[in-house]
Amino acid sequence: MLFSGNLIKLNSQYLVPVKYILKSSNQSLIINDLIGQRVKISFNGTINCIHCARKMRKSYGQGYCFSCFQTVPQASPSIVRPELDQSHLGISRDMEWAKKNSLVDHYVYLAISSSLKVGITRYTQIPTRWIDQGASKAIRIAKVPYRQISGLLEVELKKNFADKTNWRKMLSNNIDNGINLLDERDKAHKLLKKANFSDYLIDDQVTEITYPILNYPEKVSSVNLDKTPEIEARLEGVKGQYLIFEGGQVLNIRKHNGYYVDISVVK
Ligand SMILES: [Zn+2]
């Protein structure tokens, strides 16, 4: 057995191509080493909360039990909607956590994952956030001193830019190649100036990201471990937080945070 434990968002290293590692408290599996091999993943029916480890039937917010989902700062509504963050006013589920994670520099960025999108992230999460989303190119366009402001800029830009990734297109490498990120950055800067956010604008180089993939599938179908507890197929690669198998089956690891699995190579 190569790994026996709870799934958790893949750790990544920004190399060419990206190196992906599945880590638990006492195991570390380099996923890149499995590419090209027949891999078996079996879910044994147990799901543990990624915060308190309690056994549960169903997870909320990508890996939490209902109680943690309602109380831990990592699952607060401002994670998805940063403009709602109130930690700069001293209001948070956990002010100590907020001081380290919300009341710190954040970046607003543009990225190409399937097509162009806008997003925000904490300064420590560059380029991790882009890798998690499967972006092929990205550029930072603004730097702000805390989370809520990044949300305000994003809300402004969402009037003209998308903020979602089409994961089917991203995984089949159906990418809009006609986009010039520097031109788009200039457009975004103009919009932000008009909205009185001039103070936060920054210049940056475009970052390019290459993923470890042998073959892209033409069509993808998402595997749900609740319905299909066992996968056995040749691993073709990894992009974003998805394992891509031959035939176009894809497994979103992050969506299965806390699921207890055994992973092995079938000879
Ligand atoms: Zn919990």
Side-chain angles (χ1 to χ4, degrees):
M1 201 66 64
L2 294 171
F3 183 93
S4 192
N6 298 99
L7 285 176
I8 191 73
K9 186 174 99 83
L10 298 173
N11 202 291
S12 62
Q13 288 175 15
Y14 179 52
L15 300 171
V16 183
V18 172
K19 183 176 180 184
Y20 282 102
I21 306 158
L22 176 62
K23 284 186 178 170
S24 72
S25 53
N26 56 356
Q27 299 165 89
S28 181
L29 177 62
I30 299 168
I31 302 294
N32 299 49
D33 293 346
L34 308 183
I35 295 171
Q37 304 197 66
R38 207 170 166 78
V39 173
K40 184 170 159 182
I41 300 179
S42 331
F43 167 48
N44 76 357
T46 299
I47 312 172
N48 298 98
C49 172
I50 58 172
H51 188 76
C52 72
R54 183 185 305 177
K55 249 186 164 183
M56 55 191 182
R57 283 177 180 277
K58 179 180 181 317
S59 81
Y60 297 84
Q62 297 183 326
Y64 297 101
C65 68
F66 191 63
S67 165
C68 287
F69 180 64
Q70 289 188 309
T71 52
V72 300
Q74 295 90 331
S76 66
S78 64
I79 294 301
V80 181
R81 295 188 57 195
E83 69 274 19
L84 302 179
D85 197 84
Q86 293 188 296
S87 44
H88 58 292
L89 304 173
I91 303 167
S92 167
R93 287 183 176 185
D94 178 344
M95 270 319 288
E96 283 311 306
W97 185 90
K99 277 180 198 164
K100 289 190 202 113
N101 294 278
S102 303
L103 300 177
V104 294
D105 287 347
H106 278 63
Y107 287 113
V108 182
Y109 63 82
L110 294 176
I112 301 170
S113 36
S114 49
S115 53
L116 183 67
K117 73 175 285 280
V118 59
I120 69 107
T121 194
R122 194 165 72 236
Y123 77 100
T124 55
Q125 295 305 105
I126 300 276
T128 308
R129 179 73 179 147
W130 298 337
I131 294 169
D132 287 348
Q133 294 182 332
S136 48
K137 290 178 187 173
I139 187 170
R140 290 174 284 200
I141 62 168
K143 182 182 179 183
V144 304
Y146 54 84
R147 187 169 184 85
Q148 186 248 2
I149 304 180
S150 70
L152 299 180
L153 271 69
E154 188 184 40
V155 166
E156 187 62 34
L157 291 172
K158 272 156 71 170
K159 295 172 188 169
N160 288 274
F161 294 89
D163 70 324
K164 297 272 186 300
T165 298
N166 179 323
W167 59 271
R168 288 178 187 279
K169 286 187 175 176
M170 183 271 284
L171 292 172
S172 54
N173 209 25
N174 182 355
I175 291 169
D176 191 342
N177 285 315
I179 300 165
N180 181 323
L181 270 184
L182 295 175
D183 291 347
E184 299 298 333
R185 185 263 321 266
D186 292 346
K187 271 187 224 167
H189 275 178
K190 258 185 207 158
L191 293 167
L192 291 173
K193 274 181 194 161
K194 263 194 205 156
N196 287 323
F197 290 122
S198 302
D199 290 353
Y200 305 119
L201 308 186
I202 57 165
D203 282 327
D204 184 26
Q205 312 266 332
V206 174
T207 296
E208 301 207 12
I209 302 168
T210 308
Y211 296 90
I213 295 173
L214 296 176
N215 297 296
Y216 278 101
E218 281 179 27
K219 265 188 156 184
V220 297
S221 61
S222 184
V223 178
N224 175 340
L225 290 179
D226 294 304
K227 289 181 188 151
T228 312
E230 193 169 294
I231 306 169
E232 187 186 319
R234 193 174 110 111
L235 183 64
E236 296 287 353
V238 192
K239 190 174 189 187
Q241 283 290 325
Y242 287 86
L243 302 189
I244 303 171
F245 293 93
E246 67 183 334
Q249 286 191 99
V250 297
L251 179 69
N252 182 345
I253 297 294
R254 197 169 194 180
K255 202 173 134 189
H256 293 93
N257 271 348
Y259 283 58
Y260 198 100
V261 297
D262 287 330
I263 302 178
S264 57
V265 163
V266 182
K267 295 288 176 193

